[in-house]
């Protein structure tokens, strides 16, 4: 299906609004995203995960670094704390976590 600007049709979240943190990790290397939908970070920075895309783009998670929010490749994160073991599967259009 045509997802438009969405990377996947479904995501996993800790709560129905995808507002609770799932986990925290440390960036294993620098990352600069290809566009404004991605969050940039430096090696060693703390990255907070709010949801994980599933389906077509399982390699992308969404989270924050400081006050910036966006997508990033999950393989660049070393998880060091889980906030929730519960994962709900939801459509990606259920919540919008973009800050302007």
């Amino acid at each position: 299906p045509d997802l438009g600007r969405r990377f996947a049709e479904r995501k996993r979240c800790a709560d129905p609004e995808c507002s609770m943190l799932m986990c925290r990790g440390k960036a294993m290397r620098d990352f600069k995203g290809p566009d404004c939908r991605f969050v940039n970070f430096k090696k060693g920075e703390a990255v907070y995960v709010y949801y994980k895309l599933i389906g077509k783009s399982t390699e992308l998670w969404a989270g924050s670094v400081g006050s910036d929010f966006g997508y990033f490749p999950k393989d660049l994160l070393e998880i060091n704390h889980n906030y929730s073991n519960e994962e709900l599967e939801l459509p990606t259009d259920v919540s919008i976590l973009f800050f302007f």
Side-chain angles (χ1 to χ4, degrees):
D2 180 18
L3 300 175
R5 291 186 52 88
R6 290 183 295 157
F7 292 115
E9 290 184 320
R10 305 202 58 80
K11 60 187 172 184
R12 288 200 173 99
C13 303
D15 66 296
E17 292 80 33
C18 298
S19 61
M20 289 178 46
L21 285 171
M22 295 184 79
C23 58
R24 176 188 72 224
K26 183 172 74 170
M28 297 189 316
R29 66 179 175 88
D30 293 355
F31 174 70
K32 177 137 174 70
D35 61 42
C36 64
R37 296 175 292 175
F38 291 81
V39 65
N40 301 321
F41 48 76
K42 301 274 187 203
K43 180 179 180 178
E45 282 190 298
V47 180
Y48 296 87
V49 178
Y50 286 90
Y51 61 87
K52 303 170 182 179
L53 296 182
I54 55 177
K56 188 175 180 180
S57 291
T58 58
E59 73 279 357
L60 292 178
W61 287 358
S64 65
V65 176
S67 62
D68 296 329
F69 184 89
Y71 295 103
F72 61 91
K74 71 176 186 177
D75 295 340
L76 300 182
L77 193 64
E78 179 183 309
I79 303 297
N80 52 27
H81 185 76
N82 283 308
Y83 292 100
S84 173
N85 291 325
E86 188 169 334
E87 292 187 1
L88 306 172
E89 188 174 314
L90 302 165
T92 54
D93 58 356
V94 164
S95 66
I96 299 174
L97 289 176
F98 292 107
F99 304 111
F100 297 100

